Amino acid sequence: MQTTATPTHCPYCALQCGMNLTPTPDGAGSPVEVTERPDFPVNRGALCGKGRTAPALLSPGVRLTSPLIRRAGVLEPAGWDEALDRIAEGLSRTRTEHGPDACGVFGGGGLTNEKAYTLGKFARVVLGTSQIDYNGRFCMSSAAAGGIKAFGLDRGLPFPLEDIPKTGCVILVGSNLAETMPPALRYLTELKENGGTLVVIDPRRTRTAEQADLHLAPRPGTDLALALGLLHLVVAEGRTDEAYIQERTSGWEEARSAAMAHWPEYVERITGVSVPQLRETVRMFCEPESAMVLTARGPEQHSKGTDTVGAWINLCLATGRPGRPFSGYGCLTGQGNGQGGREHGQKADQLPGYRKLDDPAARRHVAEVWGVDPDSLPGPGRSAYELLDAMGTDIRALLLMASNPVVSAPRAAHIEERLKSLDFLAVADVVLSETAELADVVLPVTQWAEEGGTTTNLEGRVLLRKQAITPPEGVHSDLYVMHELADRLGVEKGFPTDPEEVFEELRRASAGGPADYSGITYRRLAEENGVFWPCPADGAADGSGSGSADASAEDREGGVQEPGAHPGTPRLFLDRFATPDGRARFVAVNHRPLAEEPDEEYPVLLTTGRVVSQYQSGAQTRRVDELNAAAPGSFVELHPRLAERVGAVEGEPLAVVSRRGRAVAPARITTSIRPDTVFMPFHWPGEGRANTLTNPALDPTSRMPEFKACAVRVERVERVG
């Protein structure tokens, strides 16, 4: 038996922490054990509880090991051929009776680049459907849209994480790194050790906010007004970088005029953040030579999320931050492959390489790689929530991979009913999730330790996951699933099962696009601890207009770069932005209310988020005993004043009611939250499902639902008997 360690990466969040996996002796529990991998620069060996316990999901008693087919209303074990035949029949029948767009495809931000690429190709080439999107739409689509508007390019962080401790000030907006990405908290600790300052903006005093030099607790849904108020003060106090604005930007006058309509006292009334706190934030951000704004889901998951991100970018541009050392705007991507997952074709409007689906040149390039007529490729389809909402009406059959919308989608009870109304549902997953329980066919697929492939972390660093163990008998990869389905649906070539073969095709498809991977190989990824995109194949400056390729020997972590190869691009925008004229663009934005403001019937705001021991919909982490012991179920966090008003008692059931439904969970009373706000984590199904309550109002640009704020009332639940 192999006893040497296999270097790979954690299956969970977008840090993609490095870890080593060593097979354990037979009968020793999990088939592998995790040990530290200090050579990987992102986490330097550190792992959170989710990463340490990830092998628990590899045990046959926890995960799926046989296909399941619904017979007489019950899911029963079946063979692979029968299950695949059943899926092919369901998809084929739907196409014949209702047309290709009646077939939907829904992916996940946890899929490797190879799987995401193949899923997009499968939808458009095999099924001929435009109806494909993925759960990453719920993650950072507003930040992506804001970044493209301002910079012409979306990459979560345009600089490596190692730059954060070297800046003078970080404004962290709507992120609780201490619980969502614990190994990343060290970067904020090192920032403060180096003399930098930290401002945390969050309606709750989280574990991350406790580390801050200044904590601002705005009313949920007012981050846009807050950013505009800060920019107003920057202008009024003469802190703008006029030379930078003139040389490197456009659109300043319109953006400045919009900000000047948001004077400090007006912003204080909207946000609840005092004028002295606003002024102190501006001082802390503007006085150092370098500074950063980092956003996460807090400001982004709103029906005005794109404008909110735009306002924070405007603050950075007005003070001359983006494209300068240790400075700029960045987004902290959430899902494991949230970055790569949207770059290579499983998003409704995109083709591989972050190309736009409605761009004729992009269609020609990708169609040539795929060996199809460009005119045969369907156009853009529905965004994630709109696709799910159309199930059972326009969309009659759905192929779903690596997602659990029964728990994770907004207005989740409605989405659950839409799933039940489908003519046919097929799910590929590693566990029997709440969504898989509704399927007609469920396929058991391999996990991260049982397969190879690449992911792209929040820095834009493309990484290689290596196979450490053989999957259990009866389990196949998602690539195998798509290969077999394509064959059954009449496309015999173009869907290989070997990840490296898929990646070689992805390189060609991405070549020349904004997310250019053509100069990246599996060999380089293994030797260099990852490569930052864009990385063209010819070794010349990248074609995205994103700036210098400045990878140093330190950035490459001692790897041996191939002669003449492009070094990759750890830091974007050093010379120019990825816009036609090379200038960053201010976007004039104005504050507007939430899609659903509190009223007499629903007087309180609900905001949602995560806890450290669970992940996303919890489909995997809720199956790990150690994690469940730490976080066994949902709860309602509320302030003592609100608790007194509604008669809530610590640990007793409390109902939260919105216009979409009712959730019940134990009360957790704390002064760390605003009195006008309650908080629920969203990892659990059943009566404590937070997304039963959330509002699917969509951002007009990103199509992001308004997860982060909706109007609710809070009621004590009387015990029976």
Side-chain angles (χ1 to χ4, degrees):
M1 184 187 75
Q2 176 190 347
T3 57
T4 57
T6 300
T8 189
H9 297 272
C10 179
Y12 290 115
C13 82
L15 287 179
Q16 288 296 279
C17 291
M19 57 170 58
N20 287 317
L21 297 181
T22 305
T24 56
D26 292 341
S30 300
V32 292
E33 65 176 354
V34 171
T35 55
E36 291 186 357
R37 184 182 162 194
D39 68 300
F40 185 62
V42 171
N43 62 308
R44 304 175 219 163
L47 292 168
C48 73
K50 295 187 291 290
R52 283 190 300 99
T53 61
L57 272 299
L58 299 168
S59 301
V62 177
R63 50 92 61 78
L64 292 166
T65 56
S66 170
L68 303 173
I69 291 181
R70 190 170 299 279
R71 309 183 202 273
V74 178
L75 286 172
E76 298 179 346
W80 270 93
D81 283 338
E82 183 185 7
L84 291 165
D85 288 345
R86 181 83 172 268
I87 297 173
E89 178 189 354
L91 295 173
S92 181
R93 183 175 63 250
T94 300
R95 281 195 306 171
T96 300
E97 295 178 359
H98 303 286
D101 275 357
C103 293
V105 177
F106 199 84
L111 294 174
T112 62
N113 290 318
E114 292 80 0
K115 295 177 183 180
Y117 170 84
T118 303
L119 190 61
K121 181 180 179 181
F122 179 87
R124 295 174 175 114
V125 173
V126 178
L127 297 179
T129 182
S130 65
Q131 301 303 304
I132 175 172
D133 211 68
Y134 82 126
N135 63 14
R137 178 78 66 171
F138 299 157
C139 179
M140 58 168 294
S141 57
S142 293
I148 290 170
K149 281 187 175 185
F151 307 129
L153 185 72
D154 156 45
R155 196 180 85 184
L157 291 180
F159 39 72
L161 284 161
E162 67 182 37
D163 283 4
I164 292 175
K166 302 171 186 175
T167 193
C169 175
V170 169
I171 298 180
L172 186 66
V173 191
S175 171
N176 184 10
L177 276 181
E179 300 211 36
T180 59
M181 298 178 177
L185 192 63
R186 69 167 58 195
Y187 292 102
L188 300 181
T189 302
E190 291 171 7
L191 165 76
K192 297 183 66 177
E193 290 172 352
N194 292 340
T197 57
L198 174 64
V199 179
V200 172
I201 299 173
D202 198 303
R204 303 166 62 224
R205 188 164 182 80
T206 63
R207 288 173 54 198
T208 307
E210 290 174 353
Q211 309 299 314
D213 297 284
L214 179 62
H215 171 218
L216 309 182
R219 180 177 179 267
T222 62
D223 295 300
L224 174 53
L226 180 61
L228 287 164
L230 295 175
L231 182 53
H232 177 111
L233 285 171
V234 166
V235 175
E237 295 178 4
R239 295 181 183 272
T240 56
D241 188 329
E242 294 297 328
Y244 176 96
I245 291 170
Q246 183 174 355
E247 294 168 8
R248 300 205 62 185
T249 73
S250 62
W252 168 233
E253 289 304 318
E254 295 83 357
R256 184 182 63 80
S257 295
M260 297 314 289
H262 297 77
W263 60 95
E265 292 77 13
Y266 173 56
V267 170
E268 181 181 68
R269 289 199 301 272
I270 294 171
T271 65
V273 177
S274 70
V275 173
Q277 285 182 312
L278 296 173
R279 294 189 184 278
E280 179 63 6
T281 302
V282 168
R283 184 195 68 78
M284 292 171 67
F285 185 68
C286 291
E287 285 189 354
E289 183 178 351
S290 59
M292 297 176 179
V293 170
L294 304 177
T295 68
R297 308 301 79 75
E300 298 164 15
Q301 286 182 324
H302 290 279
S303 59
K304 53 185 174 182
T306 302
D307 284 357
T308 303
V309 167
W312 288 107
I313 292 175
N314 286 350
L315 177 67
C316 291
L317 291 173
T319 51
R321 305 306 193 183
R324 284 181 168 170
F326 314 123
S327 288
Y329 165 79
C331 166
L332 299 170
T333 310
Q335 293 194 75
N337 197 30
Q339 182 70 50
R342 69 181 180 278
E343 294 169 1
H344 297 301
Q346 66 172 333
K347 198 175 175 190
D349 57 349
Q350 287 177 192
L351 288 169
Y354 224 139
R355 288 181 160 89
K356 298 296 290 181
L357 188 53
D358 56 4
D359 177 359
R363 293 169 66 87
R364 285 194 301 271
H365 174 87
V366 174
E368 182 178 358
V369 174
W370 288 352
V372 300
D373 185 340
D375 293 337
S376 71
L377 298 178
R382 292 175 173 88
S383 70
Y385 180 79
E386 293 165 303
L387 188 158
L388 295 171
D389 188 42
M391 295 184 300
T393 53
D394 293 341
I395 295 173
R396 310 298 291 269
L398 184 71
L399 174 63
L400 184 145
M401 288 185 167
S403 187
N404 189 19
V406 166
V407 178
S408 64
R411 197 185 173 196
H414 170 72
I415 295 305
E416 184 174 357
E417 291 304 311
R418 292 292 84 216
L419 282 160
K420 291 176 180 177
S421 72
L422 286 165
D423 295 343
F424 183 79
L425 172 62
V427 173
D429 210 332
V430 299
V431 296
L432 190 65
S433 70
E434 287 74 20
T435 302
E437 289 176 354
L438 305 179
D440 297 286
V441 181
V442 181
L443 299 177
V445 289
T446 48
Q447 299 191 53
W448 97 111
E450 302 161 348
E451 61 185 9
T454 63
T455 61
T456 306
N457 80 346
L458 75 170
E459 309 165 293
R461 188 194 301 251
V462 185
L463 303 166
L464 180 63
R465 287 184 183 171
K466 292 185 177 181
Q467 182 176 353
I469 56 173
T470 302
E473 185 178 354
V475 175
H476 291 294
S477 73
D478 297 282
L479 294 179
Y480 173 85
V481 170
M482 288 181 277
H483 170 85
E484 291 294 317
L485 289 177
D487 185 60
R488 284 165 168 78
L489 291 167
V491 181
E492 298 178 0
K493 296 181 179 180
F495 291 87
T497 60
D498 175 56
E500 187 168 8
E501 187 177 347
V502 176
F503 189 79
E504 288 302 305
E505 182 178 304
L506 183 157
R507 293 175 63 202
R508 299 196 302 275
S510 72
D516 190 336
Y517 285 27
S518 61
I520 303 173
T521 63
Y522 271 33
R523 175 185 169 187
R524 285 192 64 183
L525 294 177
E527 292 179 349
E528 299 176 32
N529 257 337
V531 177
F532 292 85
W533 71 260
C535 183
D538 59 7
D542 64 86
S544 69
S546 56
S548 298
D550 67 333
S552 65
E554 179 183 356
D555 294 323
R556 294 192 299 275
E557 305 302 325
V560 180
Q561 188 180 313
E562 295 172 4
H566 189 285
T569 316
R571 299 173 182 87
L572 298 170
F573 314 138
L574 299 182
D575 300 326
R576 65 193 310 273
F577 295 96
T579 56
D581 62 2
R583 292 173 172 265
R585 298 173 291 214
F586 284 95
V587 179
V589 294
N590 290 281
H591 168 71
R592 60 181 185 273
L594 290 164
E596 184 179 77
E597 290 284 351
D599 57 20
E600 189 173 321
E601 186 177 4
Y602 301 97
V604 177
L605 282 172
L606 167 71
T607 191
T608 63
R610 310 178 200 175
V611 297
V612 67
S613 294
Q614 301 288 353
Y615 180 71
Q616 303 296 75
S617 76
Q620 295 183 47
T621 50
R622 284 187 274 111
R623 288 168 166 81
V624 179
D625 292 341
E626 180 180 328
L627 301 179
N628 273 335
S634 189
F635 57 87
V636 181
E637 186 177 280
L638 73 165
H639 192 275
R641 294 213 299 263
L642 178 58
E644 183 178 5
R645 193 162 76 238
V646 302
V649 177
E650 177 73 22
E652 294 293 313
L654 195 64
V656 183
V657 184
S658 78
R659 290 178 173 85
R660 289 153 295 281
R662 183 174 188 264
V664 178
R668 185 173 293 183
I669 301 171
T670 174
T671 57
S672 66
I673 191 168
R674 292 174 55 97
D676 58 2
T677 301
V678 295
F679 167 83
M680 290 185 72
F682 61 80
H683 310 290
W684 287 274
E687 70 171 5
R689 181 174 60 186
N691 277 320
T692 296
L693 309 167
T694 48
N695 189 356
L698 301 180
D699 182 289
T701 302
S702 68
R703 315 309 289 170
M704 167 72 85
E706 193 150 83
F707 284 101
K708 283 299 180 187
C710 67
V712 298
R713 65 173 180 267
V714 183
E715 302 170 341
R716 183 175 176 178
V717 177
E718 297 297 333
R719 287 187 177 275
V720 178

